[in-house]
């Protein structure tokens, strides 16, 4: 008979599967199952919300996934998929799919090959994660970096970053170093002491001494010195740099710019020599009026020529200043000398005002265009510079003429004091940093969104850095607050000092060796970490954890550096699985000891009049001589062994009960493997699907040959 306890076990399995699906849905994942080398067997209902296609398209069209792959990703992904299916290695890929409404969605596809416990058949078990927002953020950051790099590398000067230590190692140098000095960018970066080597011998001692002093004080750096180019030329530089610090005030690096002033120095030197020569000749020829007058005329012409050259040099440098991708200005603090002030034309491109408007007296426009939230701080800093001569160095906002908010980094240094010793002239530069600020704001918002998402998941999200700290496990540098709800430990307790790993000490002793071996394997190779194990909670409870982590980045030596992971509390699932397993074991033992053949048949959806055997108890071997697996491998075997004289009657009754769902109860003959004829009495009951259609038959077949023969003998 079709037994109710077995139905209860199947129902328990269905409830466990439903809980697993709810966990997947809450994590915004799409789970799927696919036989190795075969079509998709299952995909979660979340796929309809994610991509807009009904599940029937996925399950009914074998080529559906291939058809909606983005054309630019299709060849790469299909090739990788075939390789994974061939080798059985874990599958991991990122690619784009085209949604039903025409959008493009980036997915991360992760799957592992698992053998079915009942049949041993290999199945791919995987999940699809929507990473579209992450890809968009990465693209925005790459575009921001490209714009910033183009800005730095187009300035007609050498931009550099240097370590704040005695070695003065270059951390970055712009490509202009090759154009100006003849050294390749890579060559300059690979030689830590190249700056000291190419310093002019006459400038080396004072320049290095000034370096040491500014490293100690952290004050901005401004100096002129000479460097020896690769071809032996002597190049004069004006060097401006400032020390960049982190949020804790610790020095990170010097950021500076070296401007080639060789021509300016050469012109100044020539002018000085001309003046000296002129004075010498005037004194020498004073007594000889005529010759002196003639010589004077010659010298006047020479002076005019030099002045023309000086004006030409000034014009060239003015052109250079006015073509820089920044606003260069001279700020005259002395109200009696406003004519010394200057603002380069880039102010109009930046804020929409001409230099004449911006340089109007009394600072009215400058003050009026300061952002209200920044005005007090900027005015205070400008007042300190005006009164004390301190450098002005701030990041703040202006309101442009068209109403835009423009972020600038403005830096000015004192270049001249008045006769009374008070600050008179400042020279400064104003850089547009709006794009960087917007990118930083976007990154902060993204981080806040992802942190909020991680801290709202019904699981513990964490960041693991395997090579940080002295221990073999490394350090967990972030853990979401759910650790307190699941394990009873606060975030502060769960994130200890290096060498005091709490997680390692809370692993169940029976699982520790296996889990630590998996940790070492992931930390060494970068392979995903995927383990189910037990942790001891703070109150002593045993909590089953499903722990999954994937590699995010590697360090400069190529070692796995940062993993992102999630720990799910699967205690209820494990306990439910154990209850189902025990129930299955009890009922399987009961079924396999009954002196009859028990079986489970599935109604063929394509032909409701036929059924397919999915389970036969071992007693079939004793009664009919066939192994149970033979009925699963050969769907027609159950029909072929029915006695030819009874086959029509059996098939007719099967079609009728499949159609009506009424109980099946029939006695008929079958031919055993050894050729003997056995009388079988079969009774079966129907399990229907949600639509009321017959889906499965649970049945029992009794060998009534002896009873039948006894009845016939009695009749005779």
């Amino acid at each position: 008979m079709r037994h109710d306890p077995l139905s209860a076990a199947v129902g328990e399995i269905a409830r466990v599967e439903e809980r697993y699906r709810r966990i997947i849905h809450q994590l915004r994942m799409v789970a799927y199952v696919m036989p190795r080398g075969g079509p998709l067997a299952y995909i979660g209902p979340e796929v309809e919300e994610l991509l807009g296609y009904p599940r029937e398209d996925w399950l009914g069209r074998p080529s559906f996934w291939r058809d909606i792959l983005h054309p630019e990703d299709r060849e790469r992904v299909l090739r990788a998929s075939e390789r994974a299916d061939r080798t059985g290695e874990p599958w991991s890929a990122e690619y784009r799919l085209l949604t039903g409404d025409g959008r493009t969605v980036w997915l991360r596809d992760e799957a592992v090959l698992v053998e079915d416990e009942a049949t041993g058949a290999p199945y791919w078990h995987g999940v699809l994660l929507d990473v579209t927002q992450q890809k968009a953020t990465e693209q925005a950051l790459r575009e921001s970096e490209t714009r910033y790099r183009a800005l730095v590398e187009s300035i007609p000067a050498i931009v550099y970053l240097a370590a704040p230590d005695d070695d003065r190692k270059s951390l970055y140098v712009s490509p202009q170093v090759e154009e100006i000095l003849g050294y390749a960018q890579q060559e300059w970066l690979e030689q830590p002491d190249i700056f000291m080597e190419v310093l002019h011998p006459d400038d080396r001692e004072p320049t290095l001494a000034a370096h040491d002093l500014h490293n100690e004080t952290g004050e901005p750096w401004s100096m002129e010195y000479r460097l020896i180019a690769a071809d032996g030329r002597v190049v004069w530089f004006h060097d401006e740099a400032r020390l960049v610090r982190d949020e804790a005030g610790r020095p990170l690096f010097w950021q500076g710019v070296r401007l080639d002033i060789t021509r300016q120095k050469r012109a100044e030197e020539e002018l000085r020599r001309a003046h000296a020569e002129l004075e010498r000749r005037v004194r020498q020829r004073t007594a000889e009026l005529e010759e002196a007058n003639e010589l004077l005329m010659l010298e006047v012409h020479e002076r005019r020529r030099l002045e023309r050259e000086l004006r030409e040099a000034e014009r060239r440098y003015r052109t250079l200043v006015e073509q820089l991708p920044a606003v260069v200005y001279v700020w005259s603090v002395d109200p009696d000398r406003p004519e010394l002030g200057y603002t380069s034309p880039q102010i109009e491109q930046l804020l929409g005002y001409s230099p004449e408007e911006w340089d109007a007296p009394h600072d009215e426009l400058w003050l009026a265009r300061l952002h209200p939230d920044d005005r007090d701080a900027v005015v205070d800093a400008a007042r300190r510079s005006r009164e004390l001569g301190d450098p002005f160095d701030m990041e703040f906002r202006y309101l442009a003429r068209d109403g835009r908010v423009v972020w600038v980094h403005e830096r000015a240094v004192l270049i001249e004091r008045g006769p009374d010793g008070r600050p008179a002239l400042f020279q400064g530069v104003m850089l547009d940093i709006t794009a960087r600020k917007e990118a930083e704001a976007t990154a902060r918002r993204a981080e806040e969104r992802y942190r909020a998402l991680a801290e709202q998941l019904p699981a513990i999200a964490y960041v693991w850095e395997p090579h940080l700290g002295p221990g073999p496990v490394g350090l967990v540098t972030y853990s979401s607050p759910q650790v307190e709800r699941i394990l009873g430990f606060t975030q502060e307790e769960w994130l200890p000092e290096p060498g005091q790993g709490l997680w390692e000490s809370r692993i169940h002793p029976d699982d520790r060796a296996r889990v630590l071996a998996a940790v070492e394997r992931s930390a060494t190779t970068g392979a995903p970490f995927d383990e189910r194990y037990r942790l001891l909670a703070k109150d002593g409870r045993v909590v089953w954890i499903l722990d999954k982590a994937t590699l995010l980045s590697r360090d400069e030596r190529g070692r796995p550096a940062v993993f992102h992971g999630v720990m799910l509390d699967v205690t209820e699932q494990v306990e439910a699985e154990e209850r189902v397993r025990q129930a299955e074991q009890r009922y399987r033992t009961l079924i396999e000891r009954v002196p009859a053949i028990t079986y489970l048949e599935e109604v063929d959806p394509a032909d409701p009049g036929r059924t397919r055997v999915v389970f036969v108890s071992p007693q079939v071997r004793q009664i009919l001589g066939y192994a149970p697996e033979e009925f699963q491998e050969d769907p027609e075997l159950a029909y072929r062994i029915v006695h030819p004289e009874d086959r029509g009657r059996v098939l007719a009754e099967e079609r009728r009960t499949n159609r009506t769902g009424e109980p099946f109860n029939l006695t008929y003959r079958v031919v055993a493997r050894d050729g003997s004829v056995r009388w079988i009495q079969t009774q079966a009951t129907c399990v229907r699907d949600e639509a009321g259609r017959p889906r499965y038959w649970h049945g029992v077949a009794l060998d009534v040959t002896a009873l039948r023969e006894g009845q016939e003998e009695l009749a005779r």
Side-chain angles (χ1 to χ4, degrees), residues 587-643:
Y587 292 124
R588 180 180 290 273
T589 301
L590 177 63
I591 288 172
E592 293 179 353
R593 292 182 179 177
V594 170
I597 303 170
T598 57
Y599 64 89
L600 176 64
E601 291 182 348
E602 180 182 24
V603 178
D604 188 350
D607 182 6
R610 302 294 296 273
T611 59
R612 180 176 64 88
V613 176
V614 294
F615 171 76
V616 180
S617 64
Q619 292 89 327
V620 72
R621 187 189 300 272
Q622 177 183 354
I623 295 174
L624 298 177
Y626 291 99
E629 54 269 18
E630 291 183 79
F631 289 88
Q632 297 170 355
E633 295 170 356
D634 184 359
E636 300 297 325
L637 179 60
Y639 296 100
R640 287 203 309 273
I641 65 174
V642 176
H643 194 282

Side-chain angles (χ1 to χ4, degrees), residues 245-259:
R245 301 178 182 272
D246 61 15
E247 295 177 354
R250 293 184 294 269
L252 295 175
F253 49 80
W254 286 96
Q255 180 174 339
V257 58
R258 296 187 181 105
L259 185 65

Side-chain angles (χ1 to χ4, degrees), residues 163-310:
D165 53 27
D166 294 340
D167 293 333
R168 305 166 186 85
K169 184 180 185 304
S170 293
L171 304 178
Y172 170 78
V173 67
S174 62
Q176 291 87 335
V177 70
E178 185 166 3
E179 179 183 348
I180 297 174
L181 287 173
Y183 297 102
Q185 186 182 29
Q186 194 64 27
E187 177 185 6
W188 189 274
L189 294 174
E190 289 177 351
Q191 297 187 38
D193 56 350
I194 190 170
F195 175 76
M196 292 184 289
E197 290 182 1
V198 302
L199 263 174
H200 193 283
D202 296 343
D203 297 343
R204 182 172 293 135
E205 184 173 346
T207 304
L208 296 183
H211 259 295
D212 294 337
L213 176 62
H214 284 268
N215 272 337
E216 292 175 3
T217 64
E219 293 180 354
W221 160 271
S222 179
M223 197 167 184
E224 293 182 354
Y225 52 81
R226 290 164 289 183
L227 296 180
I228 307 300
D231 59 2
R233 290 178 295 108
V234 175
V235 183
W236 273 96
F237 284 98
H238 180 84
D239 191 343
E240 291 276 352
R242 69 178 184 89
L243 185 61
V244 178
R245 301 178 182 272
D246 61 15
E247 295 177 354
R250 293 184 294 269
L252 295 175
F253 49 80
W254 286 96
Q255 180 174 339
V257 58
R258 296 187 181 105
L259 185 65
D260 181 359
I261 59 171
T262 306
R263 290 192 177 186
Q264 178 183 342
K265 285 289 187 179
R266 187 177 300 142
E268 291 174 356
E269 181 61 28
E270 290 178 359
L271 185 57
R272 282 195 296 270
R273 286 200 301 269
H275 277 291
E277 180 65 16
L278 178 59
E279 291 175 359
R280 184 186 68 80
R281 292 184 180 184
V282 168
R283 288 194 301 268
Q284 181 179 357
R285 298 292 187 268
T286 300
E288 303 172 5
L289 250 307
E290 293 182 358
E291 292 183 8
N293 185 57
E294 183 180 356
L295 182 58
L296 181 59
M297 293 302 295
L298 292 174
E299 294 297 338
V300 167
H301 287 301
E302 180 69 12
R303 182 187 293 271
R304 289 175 179 172
R305 183 183 64 80
L306 293 174
E307 289 176 352
R308 285 196 303 272
E309 291 182 357
L310 184 59

Side-chain angles (χ1 to χ4, degrees), residues 357-416:
E357 292 174 308
W358 194 254
D359 289 337
H362 311 303
D363 294 339
E364 294 179 358
L365 184 58
W366 174 75
L367 288 171
R369 305 315 295 178
L370 283 172
H371 194 285
D373 296 341
D374 300 338
R375 182 176 290 120
D376 292 343
V378 174
V379 170
D380 286 345
R383 178 183 51 78
R384 286 195 303 273
S385 298
R386 180 187 294 113
E387 295 177 356
L388 305 177
D390 292 345
F392 180 89
D393 192 347
M394 289 191 71
E395 292 182 355
F396 57 94
R397 289 163 288 183
Y398 278 121
L399 300 177
R401 188 170 213 150
D402 58 6
R404 291 177 297 111
V405 175
V406 180
W407 273 95
V408 300
H409 182 183
E410 188 167 335
R411 183 178 185 276
V413 294
L414 182 65
I415 59 173
E416 184 180 321

